[in-house]
């Protein structure tokens, strides 16, 4: 009986048997990456605009928000949300009585990843907008454009070109970062492989398999992003 002891021989049979379980968890891993970087981009763009307009109180609040989510590791944020929010709700609305036991782990992961992403994407967007020479705004006004027209026709298209590499790098970083969501019982590809490994103590095989999946995903998305970036530059007349 191999259960309960470490097995040193590499089992390809385990790899083949576990692949199906990992594939079933793949859609959730992709959702936990694509939705947060999409929703986070929208929120991050709004936060970047608020910081750039420098409204005294709002600017300070946005800076605190961004610093908070950029300073705390993702794993800690997941734990704070998963364990802390129910306690906060119980304390605030129910006088400390244990009414809320926990929140849905998938929803917790999505919300936390989105807020986490928005803080980083806020700085990416702000840096991209600041990189565009604002004298072009004056030139646009001289041509009769409104401020809104100048932003959407001149400033934002150039900022997009600047932001794309950093945005795509963050996407790939978050894709790999989602591997920590298994700690709050979210069954992504990392969790699926780990659960199967525990049956026969085949951890080397399990982590090799899931590592292979991350490599394939990273390479695949990198190819897509390279194509998008080249097409964007071509559209702007910046292709080499």
């Amino acid at each position: 009986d191999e259960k309960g002891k470490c097995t040193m021989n590499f089992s390809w049979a385990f790899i083949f048997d576990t692949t199906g379980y990992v594939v079933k968890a793949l859609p959730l891993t992709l959702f936990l990456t694509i939705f947060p970087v999409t929703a986070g981009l929208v929120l991050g763009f709004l936060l970047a605009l608020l910081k750039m307009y420098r409204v005294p109180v709002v600017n300070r609040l946005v800076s605190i928000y961004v610093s908070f989510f950029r300073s705390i590791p993702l794993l800690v944020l997941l734990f704070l949300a998963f364990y802390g929010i129910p306690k906060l709700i119980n304390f605030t609305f129910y006088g400390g009585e244990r009414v809320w036991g926990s929140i849905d782990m998938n929803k917790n992961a999505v919300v936390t990843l989105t807020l986490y992403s928005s803080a980083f994407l806020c700085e990416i967007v702000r840096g991209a907008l600041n990189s565009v020479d604002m004298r072009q705004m004056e030139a646009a006004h001289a041509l009769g454009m409104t401020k809104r027209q100048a932003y959407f026709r001149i400033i934002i298209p150039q900022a997009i070109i600047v932001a794309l590499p950093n945005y795509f790098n963050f996407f790939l970083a978050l894709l790999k970062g989602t591997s920590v969501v298994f700690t709050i019982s979210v069954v992504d590809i990392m969790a699926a492989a780990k659960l199967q490994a525990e049956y026969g103590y085949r951890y080397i095989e399990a982590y090799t398999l899931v590592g292979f999946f991350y490599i394939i995903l990273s390479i695949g998305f990198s190819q897509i992003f390279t194509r998008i970036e080249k097409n964007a530059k071509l559209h702007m007349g910046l292709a080499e």
Side-chain angles (χ1 to χ4, degrees):
D1 182 14
E2 293 184 349
K3 189 173 179 63
K5 65 180 181 180
C6 180
T7 55
M8 298 302 295
N9 57 312
F10 194 87
S11 174
W12 288 104
F14 176 86
I15 293 284
F16 296 136
D17 292 341
T18 305
T19 298
Y21 292 98
V22 176
V23 169
K24 288 180 181 179
L26 184 57
L28 180 57
T29 293
L30 293 176
F31 179 78
L32 290 175
T33 304
I34 295 172
F35 182 86
V37 296
T38 303
L41 178 61
V42 175
L43 180 56
F45 179 77
L46 296 176
L47 293 172
L49 291 180
L50 290 174
K51 289 197 73 172
M52 292 180 68
Y53 277 109
R54 298 186 179 281
V55 180
V57 177
V58 175
N59 182 65
R60 184 61 178 168
L61 291 175
V62 172
S63 296
I64 293 172
Y65 172 92
V66 171
S67 296
F68 176 81
F69 282 99
R70 293 185 70 196
S71 301
I72 299 179
L74 179 56
L75 181 60
V76 177
L77 290 173
L78 287 168
F79 283 156
L80 285 175
F82 189 68
Y83 296 109
I85 290 178
K87 288 183 178 293
L88 181 62
I89 292 175
N90 290 333
F91 179 79
T92 304
F93 298 103
Y94 301 103
E97 184 180 351
R98 193 175 186 275
V99 177
W100 275 55
S102 64
I103 58 177
D104 181 85
M105 56 268 196
N106 289 347
K107 292 179 181 177
N108 171 68
V110 170
V111 172
T112 303
L113 289 168
T114 300
L115 297 179
Y116 176 80
S117 298
S118 69
F120 284 89
L121 295 175
C122 168
E123 292 302 291
I124 290 175
V125 171
R126 188 173 68 89
L129 290 172
N130 286 334
S131 71
V132 180
D133 189 348
M134 284 300 154
R135 286 178 295 184
Q136 296 180 59
M137 181 71 78
E138 298 174 6
H141 287 162
L143 293 173
M145 289 187 185
T146 64
K147 190 172 184 179
R148 181 177 180 275
Q149 289 174 327
Y151 258 108
F152 281 94
R153 293 183 183 182
I154 298 174
I155 305 300
I156 292 179
Q158 294 181 69
I160 289 173
I161 299 298
V162 175
L164 279 179
N166 290 328
Y167 178 74
F168 293 152
N169 285 337
F170 180 79
F171 182 102
L172 295 176
L174 188 67
L175 172 65
K176 292 173 283 188
T178 58
S179 60
V180 301
V181 299
F182 82 91
T183 58
I184 57 170
S185 302
V186 176
V187 185
D188 66 330
I189 61 175
M190 181 68 176
K194 185 176 183 296
L195 289 171
Q196 292 304 307
E198 291 175 351
Y199 290 125
Y201 290 85
R202 293 286 182 178
Y203 293 100
I204 296 297
E205 291 90 337
Y207 296 143
T208 298
L209 175 62
V210 78
F212 176 77
F213 267 83
Y214 281 117
I215 290 172
I216 295 300
L217 289 172
S218 296
I219 292 175
F221 278 117
S222 293
Q223 294 297 318
I224 294 172
F225 296 155
T226 299
R227 181 72 59 86
I228 292 174
E229 192 174 346
K230 285 182 178 179
N231 288 340
K233 288 183 178 180
L234 182 64
H235 182 73
M236 290 291 295
L238 300 174
E240 298 179 357

